[in-house]
Amino acid sequence: MYENFDFHVLAHILPNQTRSQKPKPLTKHKPDLDMRIEIPREFERIGAIQIFGLQKVYELDGGIGEHERSSVIECIPQDVLHEQMKNMAIVVPVKEERLKLIEGVLVGIPSSCDVIIVSNSSRTPVDRFQLEVATVENIAKFTGKKITIVHQKDPGLARTFAEAGYTDIIDEQGLIRSGKAEGMILGTLLARWLGKQTVGFVDSDNYFPGAVHEYVSEYAAGFAMNGIKNTFVRISWHSKPKITENSLFFAKWGRSSVNSNKILNHLMTHFCGFETEIVKTGNAGEHALSVDLALQLEYAAGYAVETHHFINLIETFGGVLEGGDPKVFRDHVAICQIESRNPHLHESKGDEHVEDMIDASLSVIYHSPLCPQSLKDIIMENVRQRRGADAPEEIAPVRVYPSLSKLDLDIFLKGCDEVMQHGESNQYIRKNAEAVLPG
Amino acid sequence: MYENFDFHVLAHILPNQTRSQKPKPLTKHKPDLDMRIEIPREFERIGAIQIFGLQKVYELDGGIGEHERSSVIECIPQDVLHEQMKNMAIVVPVKEERLKLIEGVLVGIPSSCDVIIVSNSSRTPVDRFQLEVATVENIAKFTGKKITIVHQKDPGLARTFAEAGYTDIIDEQGLIRSGKAEGMILGTLLARWLGKQTVGFVDSDNYFPGAVHEYVSEYAAGFAMNGIKNTFVRISWHSKPKITENSLFFAKWGRSSVNSNKILNHLMTHFCGFETEIVKTGNAGEHALSVDLALQLEYAAGYAVETHHFINLIETFGGVLEGGDPKVFRDHVAICQIESRNPHLHESKGDEHVEDMIDASLSVIYHSPLCPQSLKDIIMENVRQRRGADAPEEIAPVRVYPSLSKLDLDIFLKGCDEVMQHGESNQYIRKNAEAVLPG
């Protein structure tokens, strides 16, 4: 019955080891832990932009750096990652999130990063923001994490935007508009105010602290591999579990991603002349970029912010539109796409808006001056296939905030100094700070 | 509308910072990354055993070690964790598992650990073991991970057990019996063969590499805090998501855990004289212990192995049974319980056996000479409540393998040398090793 057992036992890597031949003690290298990550196998170039192919992560923790180096796998030592993290602010937009989830996300963010929580949670009837502050205080007390938390509807911050000439973001009440894109703009500017060179984004509804930890480590890896200047790191999820018929199905791609990646690749193909599938992160919510680069980009409202960043990068640095600033084409912009190893499992808020999300992503491509008529036709065909008789004649444009270069940064930062230190909330800051930092 | 905004902006930790007052560069400490973990707030003592209360993890990655040290939070530097991992083998029992899941688990295990895969997958009609070997080879090729993979039904290994006088584990065919406990025994002995001081266990069906990484880091943290000698680290999951009505519910405790913890706490209460709830990890599948300690323990078959380890520790080191070896009571055995931060989300194999699992755990308590009549009554009451009319008169005993101290270790290890190096699989080992390790 067992004669076809031609091999049964297999000892890898330790080929000639017996008890008396233990591996040599590995003391010559100091322990530097690596994240082990594939180097990109391909890239596309368009003007100043280099879009690298998806990079796979082979080990979350490559252990001590004693292994043979491979020419196709990059090993990024942990201390290099943490040097990058010290330059980084992680922005966590929050809206009516369960406190346990926020706590878990904070637990997963490495302590070397600054955290900026931009909350747009309700203040009445229950002051949910106050509950969030209490949660953050508790975590900060036990970890010494550097956390800044602001409310998106803070009148002082709105005033600061107005003074800096960036009034598009102000609503009829004179406050910052609601929305995740608006929170991202605020978070990016606060990262600059804190003196950070890079800014990354993490959703507040992730169930797995370990996944958050991985994203941030991958942001750091992207900057370590490409340099900070003009680098954009975008994460493609390994999989996104969906609950179907009371079990989990590990979908590789969400419908939103499928559509926006497909159309973005059509656009790339149009400019490159060779068909390409290089774009895998067209609407990557998990992304990080240098603050200087972020301050040159436009922000689309609603679901389109990530796809619009992609488009706006090509508009600005691709050298395919007339009238651009020739100086910027001498820059080099790297788009680094990394495939995370943890599945992405987040709070399910229902999928009813998925068609709107797809439309928003396609809209910013459609309405870009980059978009050739042939691609407009493809986009409208896509809309008709998904919407049937409800399809509009032309896909509606979404609100796009002007480039942050239109904002007077000096005035804004000075206003922040005021609001964060000497404004109406001043007293509260001090009280908390004293409670958290003894001495 | 907004006048009740008494505070809006809150800057933690950086109280007096403005742009011109950036935090001082933190260069005086070398970057040592910490896992930030609570020190136990309580313990119970029974004979030589000290059972520590559950310890909470506050940060997966505490960043560079520049923070103020707290007296209640232990910061364990990453290089200390990795020194522990170099002593550690992680055993992954595998049976007909999806290859993607095995790959993910391997990605999550830090490279400093040796990995021992004990597979009991089928060889016919499809040789699933061969597929597993190919997966492992691929991962090893890209990461340099040190992985040993054996098949539980290897005739050479069965012969080695027989020669070492540990025949209980051999079935009618002359091979090692099927079962996870049997795989754990084999894995523990192979850890010893590899010269490792500690051995940890990780299931092969975990969906989240980040969770696996956390468990192994916590094993290392437990050994770092308590020393290696006679330390037993057991993980309590933060939560275990269940799919109910097409959404996720984050249950804190499984039914199995609730029952075995409750009865074990009854037992502790009986010996301590004060009611206690200290036991939170009665059937912790995620656990690690020093190999020397593991070699003194009995192994229950089936679902009872973890609970029986707990019981057998008290039988051996608790000093409450007559006739024990007085020398061992002078030892100190630490049971360290750590609450992981990642939820535990694994492949669902159905819950039909949950009653059997509970019975198995309770059975090893019931049939221990430690168990007072009053607790036997409580256990049978529990069985009757769950089983109703199907409840037996007395809970059936489960198979318990004798302590590994009954096995002649020298003969076993010598046999392993033979099987792993010069046995029937020798050629295959060499071939692989050459493919994997250049030069």
Side-chain angles (χ1 to χ4, degrees), chain B residues 42-340:
Chain B
E42 49 177 355
F43 63 84
E44 297 285 353
R45 184 105 204 190
I46 174 168
I49 305 168
Q50 196 169 14
I51 305 178
F52 291 102
L54 196 64
Q55 294 172 256
K56 188 170 164 172
V57 173
Y58 278 99
E59 263 181 335
L60 299 182
D61 180 350
I64 47 171
E66 94 273 8
H67 311 292
E68 80 293 355
R69 294 312 205 227
S70 150
S71 55
V72 292
I73 311 280
E74 187 111 18
C75 306
I76 304 154
Q78 203 78 317
D79 53 358
V80 170
L81 295 181
H82 276 263
E83 282 302 311
Q84 292 294 340
M85 290 173 188
K86 283 198 274 178
N87 293 325
M88 197 186 295
I90 298 296
V91 173
V92 186
V94 169
K95 188 168 167 61
E96 326 286 359
E97 199 52 76
R98 287 198 279 170
L99 300 174
K100 286 251 184 230
L101 287 183
I102 298 175
E103 189 184 310
V105 167
L106 290 176
V107 164
I109 299 175
S111 206
S112 305
C113 307
D114 266 63
V115 181
I116 300 170
I117 298 178
V118 179
S119 170
N120 197 18
S121 298
S122 55
R123 309 292 309 256
T124 54
V126 175
D127 190 344
R128 290 192 56 89
F129 179 59
Q130 199 163 9
L131 300 179
E132 290 160 7
V133 168
T135 302
V136 167
E137 274 190 293
N138 188 52
I139 285 281
K141 204 169 283 169
F142 282 100
T143 61
K145 265 191 152 60
K146 299 175 288 297
I147 309 174
T148 303
I149 174 167
V150 300
H151 198 278
Q152 195 160 334
K153 296 296 183 187
D154 179 75
L157 289 170
R159 212 161 45 233
T160 306
F161 270 110
E163 284 164 6
Y166 199 79
T167 48
D168 295 50
I169 205 168
I170 309 296
D171 67 9
E172 304 72 39
Q173 266 107 15
L175 298 174
I176 298 172
R177 286 181 199 280
S178 292
K180 189 175 157 192
E182 292 78 358
M184 288 168 67
I185 292 174
L186 176 54
T188 301
L189 287 162
L190 289 176
R192 184 72 169 80
W193 179 75
L194 288 170
K196 296 293 165 179
Q197 290 182 275
T198 56
V199 60
F201 297 87
V202 163
D203 285 348
S204 60
D205 64 351
N206 199 309
Y207 282 131
F208 281 78
V212 171
H213 184 256
E214 187 192 358
Y215 298 145
V216 177
S217 302
E218 283 157 1
Y219 299 162
F223 292 121
M225 288 186 288
N226 296 286
I228 290 175
K229 186 172 189 302
N230 286 347
T231 290
F232 204 137
V233 187
R234 299 168 77 103
I235 307 289
S236 170
W237 301 325
H238 181 266
S239 59
K240 188 179 174 185
K242 286 184 200 306
I243 300 164
T244 45
E245 293 166 12
N246 275 324
S247 78
L248 280 179
F249 169 68
F250 284 77
K252 179 80 192 150
W253 300 105
R255 283 193 57 215
S256 245
S257 297
V258 168
N259 283 283
S260 57
N261 287 341
K262 192 167 77 180
I263 301 296
L264 283 170
N265 278 317
H266 271 298
L267 187 70
M268 292 299 298
T269 300
H270 172 79
F271 289 118
C272 299
F274 284 82
E275 197 165 0
T276 180
E277 293 196 313
I278 196 111
V279 181
K280 304 284 187 196
T281 58
N283 56 358
E286 268 64 39
H287 66 265
L289 69 171
S290 73
V291 172
D292 284 342
L293 184 60
L295 293 179
Q296 298 176 63
L297 292 180
E298 299 175 357
Y299 287 74
Y303 303 119
V305 57
E306 288 90 6
T307 306
H308 184 69
H309 270 355
F310 220 110
I311 288 290
N312 191 230
L313 275 178
I314 302 175
E315 289 170 350
T316 312
F317 296 97
V320 288
L321 294 180
E322 287 183 22
D325 179 357
K327 265 189 294 180
V328 303
F329 308 141
R330 268 175 263 139
D331 276 345
H332 174 256
V333 177
I335 299 181
C336 168
Q337 305 182 99
I338 300 179
E339 185 181 65
S340 67

